[in-house]
Amino acid sequence: MRTADIRDGWHGNAQQPFAVANLVSCRAHHHQPFQRHVSAATSGATWPWQLQDGSPSSLGPMALLGDLLLQKLRRSMVNPDRNPLKDLVEIDETEMPFRSRHDPEDRPKGGRSPVGKMFVVCAVELSSDGHPRRIRMKHIPDGASKTLHGFIGQAVEPSAHIITDGWLGYENPPANTHEAKVVSGKKAHDILHWVHRVFSNLKTWAKGVFHGLRKCHLQRYLDEFVFRWNRRRHMRSAFDTLLGIGVGLGPATYRDFVEQRA
């Protein structure tokens, strides 16, 4: 059989059916049965809006259904019953610029100003020989003591020993022993090696795959990164885990994701 005779999985010179050909290119008419069902499922005030920034979508209902499925999968990447980190835990926070239509022209560089930045805190569980095991990440509004202590209480076992830099917000955690390694004359990644390795991988992934992240859905991307990292050595069972978590979650509509209700 000649290569020229193979067209979209059809043998010989048979043409692709009109409805399928147009549906693939998002141009199917509403009298086509499958397209009519897709339109009904995505009709109303929910489907013409993108999850990223609320801008009108020109991609069509099929792309929006793909967005909805993706968000449902990301929601399933957080196990409600997961165990907190234990033993030895490195914790630090970082900043990331966020994508916006109206980026400030006078965005300050460095420091802890929130203008044009997103703050992320990360905890890395270490084994007895100093190798990374599980991680937790969270989008935080600031580096205040109340914020950081709240993250530690959620992500780390009370008996775990935590290691941080010299930032005052980490001092006197309510339920953990604490060791502060003051960064003075040394680079931060030399003091807290693994947490900064995680930050480096996160930023490379965010900028390389997504070309930057939007602030309103940052936590969803962090959840995906954490899921991938924690199962990096168990790729075969990761999808089964994802489906198992998703089955136990309640239903959510597209509008629930857009308005941060799910």
Side-chain angles (χ1 to χ4, degrees):
M1 184 184 298
R2 296 174 300 152
T3 305
D5 291 334
I6 303 176
R7 301 184 180 181
D8 299 309
W10 293 71
H11 298 294
N13 294 321
Q15 296 292 330
Q16 193 178 22
F18 172 78
V20 177
N22 286 300
L23 185 60
V24 170
S25 60
C26 298
R27 296 194 307 270
H29 299 292
H30 285 281
H31 68 269
Q32 299 296 338
F34 184 70
Q35 175 66 18
R36 184 168 63 248
H37 294 320
V38 170
S39 299
T42 56
S43 62
T46 58
W47 75 261
W49 302 95
Q50 288 283 32
L51 281 175
Q52 279 284 341
D53 57 359
S55 60
S57 171
S58 59
L59 298 179
M62 294 302 294
L64 293 168
L65 284 178
D67 278 342
L68 177 59
L69 177 59
L70 176 60
Q71 295 304 321
K72 286 178 178 287
L73 289 174
R74 284 194 177 125
R75 186 177 66 141
S76 301
M77 290 180 177
V78 181
N79 186 351
D81 300 322
R82 63 185 180 182
N83 296 322
L85 308 182
K86 59 183 181 180
D87 299 334
L88 184 63
V89 181
E90 279 187 3
I91 302 178
D92 201 5
E93 81 281 355
T94 190
E95 62 184 40
M96 298 176 63
F98 63 84
R99 291 176 54 193
S100 172
R101 293 180 175 182
H102 307 289
D103 289 334
E105 298 180 358
D106 56 345
R107 174 187 296 176
K109 297 181 179 180
R112 294 181 180 268
S113 170
V115 179
K117 301 174 186 176
M118 303 178 292
F119 293 117
V120 176
V121 62
C122 176
V124 182
E125 179 186 80
L126 301 179
S127 63
S128 57
D129 56 354
H131 287 89
R133 295 191 297 209
R134 299 175 296 158
I135 66 172
R136 297 284 186 270
M137 306 187 84
K138 186 176 182 181
H139 177 205
I140 56 176
D142 51 52
S145 177
K146 181 179 179 180
T147 301
L148 298 177
H149 285 179
F151 169 75
I152 294 172
Q154 293 174 354
V156 182
E157 267 189 2
S159 59
H161 180 69
I162 62 175
I163 303 174
T164 69
D165 59 13
W167 176 241
L168 297 177
Y170 293 110
E171 285 191 350
N172 302 317
N176 298 92
T177 57
H178 176 223
E179 177 184 353
K181 294 185 176 181
V182 180
V183 180
S184 179
K186 294 183 179 181
K187 295 182 179 179
H189 62 262
D190 292 332
I191 302 296
L192 301 171
H193 174 72
W194 283 112
V195 70
H196 281 272
R197 175 71 63 86
V198 172
F199 284 147
S200 177
N201 289 345
L202 170 67
K203 293 177 180 180
T204 300
W205 176 71
K207 294 178 181 179
V209 176
F210 301 106
H211 304 286
L213 302 178
R214 297 295 174 99
K215 191 173 185 178
C216 58
H217 294 285
L218 174 60
Q219 188 60 49
R220 296 286 187 199
Y221 293 98
L222 297 181
D223 292 340
E224 179 180 351
F225 183 85
V226 168
F227 183 89
R228 290 173 178 270
W229 173 279
N230 289 344
R231 291 160 181 82
R232 64 195 183 280
R233 296 189 180 95
H234 307 281
M235 299 298 293
R236 291 187 178 182
S237 62
F239 188 68
D240 293 337
T241 302
L242 185 64
L243 294 180
I245 297 173
V247 168
L249 299 177
T253 66
Y254 199 94
R255 179 55 59 186
D256 289 333
F257 289 107
V258 171
E259 297 181 357
Q260 302 290 318
R261 295 195 300 259

